[in-house]
Amino acid sequence: MKKLGMGLVGPGFIAAHHLDAVRRLGDVEIIGIAGSSLDSAKKRARELGVARAYANYQALLADPAVQVVHNTTPNHLHKEISLAALHAGKHVISDKPLASSVQESRALFDAARDAGVANVVTFNYRGHALVQQARAMIAKGKLGAPVLVHGCYLQDWLTDERTYTWRLDPKLGGVSSALGDIGSHWCDLAEHVTGARITKVLADLHTAVPVRQAAVTSAKAFANQTKSAPRRNVAITSEDIASVLLRFDNGARGSLIVGQVLPGHKNDLRLEVNGRLASLAWQQEKPNELWMGHHAQANTLLMRDPALLDASARRYAHLPAGHPEAWADAFRNLIADAYAWIRQGGKPETKPAALPSFTDGYRNSLVIDAMLRSHAAGGVWQDVDEHREPRQKQGKRG
C-alpha cells in the first residue's frame, strides 16, 4: 500500500500527539512541518524527528508530496490555514474548535463540502472503545428513553493567577475559554453518544480569576513559567467557570459544569445518561470502565474487553482485557478513521460513523455560541440556531 504524505502546521503541544498517532498507523509518511518561521520550524523538526521544515504554511501546501494537512495552530489561524489547504485540494485534519466563531466555522464547512475532500475535527474522545460501546447501547434501546444527560469537564491548569496562555487572549483563542476549549468536547461527546441534539441552553458564566500575571516571555499553552520571570497584569474577559442547563430534541434534559480553575481536577471529563430502563456513566480518567446503573438489580461495571463489546465498538479496542488503553490510543483511533476515510476519497458516504467532520465542528460552534448568547442575555434560555444549520449534511450525522 502506498503511503500517504502528511504535513503539519503549528508544531506546538498537540503536534507531537498528531505525529505519534500517524506513526503508529504505519502507512503514513511524515513529509514535514511548518511553524511561525523557518528557524522555529527547523528547531521543532529536530525535536520531533521530522526530516523537513517549511518557512510557512504556504510552502508546505505547495509541496505535492503533502496530501494531508494537520492544522494544529492556535484557534485564530484555523480558518485561514484550513481554508487554504481545502482550496489546494488537500485533506484536512484540524484541531478543535473548528474556528474562532460561528461565521468562520460555517465558511469552513461550506469550503469542505465544495472541495470534496476529507475534513476532520479532533473531538478525540469519540475514539475510546467504551464511548462507542455506550453509543451502541443507547442506539439499541438498552437504556430506554433517555431522560437526563449530565456531566462535567473540570481542570485545574489555570488555577494559579500566574498562569497565562494565548487561549485566554480573545484575539487568539476566541471569546470563550472554558466552554470553547473543553466544554466543546463534552457537548460533542453528549450528542455523539446519545444520538440526540441540544436544542436549547441556559448558561451562567463566571471569571474566577479576572486578572492574571502573565510572564513577559511566553504565552504558550502549558508552558512552564518560572515564578521569578518578569510579569505584567492582564485583564481576563473569558470565562473559567460555566454551568449550563440543556434541552435535547428527544425530550431529555441535561446539565453541564465546566471549569479550568478547580484544584485537583486534571482532566476530569464525565458523561452520564439516565434512561427509563437503565443508566450509564463514563469518565475520561477511567476510560476502561463503563458504569451501568439499574433500578431493581445490582449495578454493574463493564471493563473494556473486546470479547464483550458491541461489534461497532470492538474495533476501537486493540489490547486484551486487563491491558489499559487511554488518551493516546483514542487519539490514534480517530486518526486511523481519518486516514481510512482519506484512502476512500473522503466522500461523505464513506465517512466512518464515529469520525467527526467539519459538519460536526460547525454544529458544535452553534451550540457554544448559544451558550454565550444565553449568558450575554442575562441567563435566559436560547435556541441553538437550527436555521443556520447547513441543509446538506455530510454522510451520517456523527
Side-chain angles (χ1 to χ4, degrees):
M1 182 183 296
K2 183 179 179 181
K3 288 190 174 184
L4 291 165
M6 68 83 73
L8 184 143
V9 185
F13 162 76
I14 199 65
H17 302 285
H18 280 254
L19 297 176
D20 174 68
V22 298
R23 283 171 173 144
R24 290 173 65 183
L25 298 184
D27 59 356
V28 179
E29 181 181 359
I30 299 170
I31 304 300
I33 62 175
S36 56
S37 69
L38 183 58
D39 286 342
S40 66
K42 285 181 176 179
K43 179 176 182 294
R44 284 297 279 159
R46 289 193 297 270
E47 293 170 350
L48 297 170
V50 177
R52 190 178 306 176
Y54 301 88
N56 49 52
Y57 77 83
Q58 292 92 342
L60 182 146
L61 294 181
D63 190 339
V66 175
Q67 299 158 277
V68 187
V69 175
H70 290 236
N71 185 356
T72 63
T73 59
N75 300 349
H76 73 293
L77 295 174
H78 283 190
K79 179 191 174 186
E80 175 187 337
I81 294 169
S82 292
L83 203 59
L86 292 170
H87 289 162
K90 312 287 187 179
H91 304 283
V92 181
I93 299 173
S94 172
D95 268 340
K96 60 83 215 164
L98 180 57
S100 293
S101 69
V102 171
Q103 293 76 18
E104 289 187 355
S105 293
R106 179 56 190 261
L108 284 172
F109 164 81
D110 289 336
R113 176 195 57 205
D114 296 341
V117 296
N119 48 94
V120 177
V121 182
T122 55
F123 288 121
N124 50 289
Y125 295 111
R126 294 189 185 197
H128 284 280
L130 289 182
V131 165
Q132 292 308 313
Q133 176 69 16
R135 173 179 163 89
M137 293 174 69
I138 291 172
K140 292 181 177 181
K142 301 294 186 181
L143 271 62
V147 295
L148 187 64
V149 183
H150 55 104
C152 61
Y153 201 152
L154 313 177
Q155 295 180 334
D156 71 356
W157 73 288
L158 290 176
T159 299
D160 191 333
E161 64 272 12
R162 290 167 298 186
T163 300
Y164 183 74
T165 163
W166 62 262
R167 294 183 184 277
L168 297 171
D169 183 340
K171 294 180 180 178
L172 304 180
V175 296
S176 173
S177 178
L179 286 174
D181 186 20
I182 57 178
S184 57
H185 268 301
W186 189 94
C187 292
D188 177 79
L189 193 66
E191 290 197 335
H192 179 68
V193 168
T194 63
R197 289 192 166 207
I198 298 167
T199 58
K200 294 179 181 293
V201 302
L202 190 158
D204 178 39
L205 312 185
H206 179 58
T207 306
V209 185
V211 177
R212 291 186 174 273
Q213 301 168 22
V216 174
T217 55
S218 176
K220 293 181 180 179
F222 312 113
N224 292 322
Q225 299 172 352
T226 62
K227 295 181 179 180
S228 59
R231 295 183 178 275
R232 57 190 173 88
N233 287 341
V234 179
I236 305 300
T237 58
S238 56
E239 81 289 349
D240 49 33
I241 294 175
S243 54
V244 189
L245 296 179
L246 311 166
R247 293 179 184 173
F248 290 80
D249 62 1
N250 62 356
R253 267 44 180 176
S255 65
L256 165 65
I257 298 175
V258 177
Q260 297 171 307
V261 291
L262 310 175
H265 293 275
K266 302 307 176 185
N267 200 37
D268 190 4
L269 184 158
R270 308 184 194 195
L271 175 68
E272 181 167 337
V273 182
N274 309 112
R276 294 289 294 123
L277 300 179
S279 302
L280 60 77
W282 181 80
Q283 298 182 38
Q284 190 279 146
E285 291 184 343
K286 298 180 180 179
N288 294 281
E289 302 176 4
L290 184 64
W291 176 83
M292 296 294 303
H294 305 281
H295 170 60
Q297 65 186 79
N299 296 339
T300 57
L301 193 65
L302 173 63
M303 304 302 292
R304 186 201 53 77
D305 182 345
L308 302 177
L309 300 182
D310 185 88
S312 63
R314 193 174 303 132
R315 69 189 189 89
Y316 293 96
H318 305 285
L319 297 175
H323 297 73
E325 296 181 53
W327 191 95
D329 303 290
F331 200 92
R332 178 263 174 209
N333 285 338
L334 180 138
I335 298 299
D337 273 355
Y339 277 88
W341 190 26
I342 289 166
R343 288 196 177 277
Q344 296 185 69
K347 301 303 179 184
E349 60 273 12
T350 61
K351 184 182 77 69
L355 184 64
S357 69
F358 279 22
T359 301
D360 302 294
Y362 175 58
R363 162 72 191 166
N364 192 266
S365 294
L366 290 173
V367 173
I368 300 303
D369 180 68
M371 294 176 182
L372 298 178
R373 287 189 287 108
S374 172
H375 176 74
V380 297
W381 286 98
Q382 293 286 322
D383 292 333
V384 176
D385 276 350
E386 293 290 339
H387 70 277
R388 295 164 73 178
E389 293 263 4
R391 293 182 180 180
Q392 180 182 345
K393 303 296 192 298
Q394 295 187 8
K396 297 179 180 178
R397 179 164 58 86

